[in-house]
Amino acid sequence: MQDGFGRKIDYLRISVTDRCNFRCQYCMSEKMTFMPKSELLSLEEITLIAERFISHGIRKIRLTGGEPLVRRDMKDVIQRLGRKVKSGELEELTLTTNGSLLTEYADHLADHAVRRINVSMDTLDPDRFSEITRGAKVETVVDGIAAAKAAGITVKINMVALRNFNEADLLPMAEFCAANGHDLTIIETMPLGDVGADRTLAHISAEEFLAPLNDQYTLKPIPHRSSGPARYVSVEPLDLRLGMITPLSNNFCDDCNRLRLTTDGKIFMCLGHNAHVDLRAAIRKDGITAVDQLLQQALKLKPLRHDFNAQLNGSAEILERHMNVTGG
Ligand code: SAM
Ligand code: SF4
């Protein structure tokens, strides 16, 4: 598949639920309302849509949310899509998770062809972790990461950079990742959905956030690329690979290769735009073949770039959609 700008599209992110057992301050408001369950795609719908997309050229699928592992039939979702990897139809099935349920899921993921996962953890400090997630315990996440590693899964840690909050946590996090063989990715905050706070206060560029690490270690650009938009450096002599996702300070849209399937069955072409097509409505009315034509329409809707900078500086409207619905 190619979009209107000639970019090859082979990567699908599926938000399998908008629900979550955390309430990270930059992602959700404290009193978040979730969709009625009837709005969510069923296990069958997710599987059928994924199959259709694979037949059109999707080679990698990432499951995300909300917290994907809180979905009740998540083991079945993993099993069904894992089969596509085992049969060679799909190159890779991955997951982004807050890590809190990994001790229960690690072996199941490994058994069903999930070889890499991303775990989000913004600090190792128990009090600050509890503050940013509004009540979660960092030990459960650290234990979950260890369980995934023990099951043979490669774990990358995602850390959102937050001004005046977790700058001092970067060095301990880098050392933890280096000691345990995890890559670390720093993510700049993106303005999505009303989270009941002023985001400009929390925003910090990855470059500024990395300054303390730069003072202590040597950071060298390396050519490594994952399937996402991160750019990588090596941190020496720590022997750490560090990625940066910099939607605001350094636009990476030129080689965007992805589509996003929302919890309620819409295809969004960009995290930072509202252009979408409604697959769920079409397949509930006309059956699964409706996907084929809508997919072609969707490809034409993919914008060249996101508008996050304009949204953050107030010259464009903040998108109402929260990250948990579209999937991070
Ligand atoms: N619950 C899972 C997790 O936390 O990893 C998966 C979904 S979460 C929405 C996916 C990623 O998006 C996480 O790494 C999270 O830190 C990040 N995220 C959420 N809201 C964000 C925002 N406003 N700006 C930047 N990253 C955000
Ligand atoms: Fe939940 Fe992930 Fe959002 Fe945190 S970032 S509230 S863990 S969906």
Side-chain angles (χ1 to χ4, degrees):
M1 286 187 285
Q2 274 201 349
D3 73 358
F5 300 97
R7 291 173 293 197
K8 183 177 175 196
I9 308 295
D10 60 2
Y11 182 10
L12 175 67
R13 290 199 167 200
I14 306 179
S15 175
V16 294
T17 178
D18 61 337
R19 289 166 171 72
C20 188
N21 51 350
F22 290 8
R23 293 286 180 282
C24 300
Q25 294 192 27
Y26 47 78
C27 178
M28 294 189 183
S29 66
E30 194 163 10
K31 297 211 164 48
M32 191 71 183
T33 42
F34 297 107
M35 286 176 196
K37 289 236 168 83
S38 58
E39 304 265 304
L40 266 63
L41 289 178
S42 68
L43 169 67
E44 281 69 32
E45 286 169 331
I46 291 178
T47 319
L48 282 172
I49 292 175
E51 278 170 355
R52 212 73 196 171
F53 275 52
I54 291 168
S55 75
H56 283 280
I58 289 296
R59 304 295 299 138
K60 294 178 184 175
I61 293 183
R62 177 174 293 278
L63 302 173
T64 176
E67 174 45 43
L69 300 183
V70 303
R71 187 177 160 122
R72 281 231 183 93
D73 56 3
M74 194 54 192
K75 287 198 170 153
D76 299 325
V77 174
I78 294 163
Q79 188 168 4
R80 289 198 187 186
L81 296 180
R83 260 184 228 143
K84 304 281 163 202
V85 180
K86 290 181 179 172
S87 68
E89 292 162 85
L90 200 58
E91 241 167 60
E92 190 174 48
L93 177 65
T94 56
L95 177 84
T96 302
T97 171
N98 65 25
S100 60
L101 298 170
L102 272 178
T103 43
E104 182 192 334
Y105 273 89
D107 288 338
H108 185 81
L109 288 163
D111 288 347
H112 294 94
V114 177
R115 294 188 272 273
R116 288 191 313 127
I117 61 173
N118 290 355
V119 179
S120 307
M121 185 166 64
D122 302 326
T123 169
L124 283 160
D125 178 89
D127 293 335
R128 271 195 296 282
F129 189 84
S130 174
E131 186 182 341
I132 196 69
T133 55
R134 298 192 177 100
K137 288 195 166 45
V138 74
E139 308 90 81
T140 55
V141 178
V142 172
D143 290 349
I145 292 168
K149 187 179 167 188
I153 299 171
T154 302
V155 179
K156 179 159 76 80
I157 307 297
N158 282 348
M159 178 182 192
V160 175
L162 298 159
R163 185 180 289 286
N164 297 329
F165 185 74
N166 64 352
E167 289 107 322
D169 299 321
L170 177 61
L171 281 180
M173 185 70 83
E175 284 155 9
F176 167 85
C177 289
N180 292 286
H182 306 306
D183 285 358
L184 171 64
T185 298
I186 304 303
I187 306 180
E188 291 179 356
T189 57
M190 289 166 256
L192 279 170
D194 179 6
V195 291
D198 183 352
R199 292 169 187 282
T200 47
L201 297 179
H203 187 75
I204 177 169
S205 72
E207 194 187 346
E208 192 181 343
F209 190 74
L210 289 177
L213 194 67
N214 226 340
D215 287 346
Q216 198 138 331
Y217 296 102
T218 307
L219 275 54
K220 283 194 196 131
I222 50 170
H224 175 75
R225 290 304 304 267
S226 52
S227 43
R231 305 283 193 271
Y232 285 86
V233 294
S234 68
V235 182
E236 300 305 340
L238 258 191
D239 193 23
L240 171 71
R241 194 155 61 190
L242 182 127
M244 287 160 281
I245 300 191
T246 55
L248 284 105
S249 67
N250 190 0
N251 188 287
F252 45 61
C253 300
D254 286 347
D255 34 74
C256 183
N257 60 347
R258 65 190 55 186
L259 298 176
R260 293 167 188 275
L261 179 61
T262 63
T263 311
D264 56 347
K266 297 188 172 72
I267 289 285
F268 275 82
M269 310 308 295
C270 172
L271 195 54
H273 271 268
N274 259 333
H276 65 274
V277 297
D278 190 347
L279 286 189
R280 192 196 62 189
I283 61 176
R284 288 189 183 173
K285 184 167 161 280
D286 300 324
I288 191 65
T289 48
V291 166
D292 299 350
Q293 198 209 337
L294 284 177
L295 191 51
Q296 294 313 317
Q297 256 183 44
L299 287 169
K300 289 193 197 115
L301 289 178
K302 190 164 170 69
L304 189 56
R305 287 168 169 246
H306 64 68
D307 277 342
F308 286 137
N309 287 303
Q311 284 148 10
L312 195 69
N313 72 25
S315 61
E317 221 174 303
I318 299 275
L319 295 176
E320 276 173 28
R321 209 166 14 94
H322 284 87
M323 186 75 130
N324 61 315
V325 174
T326 332

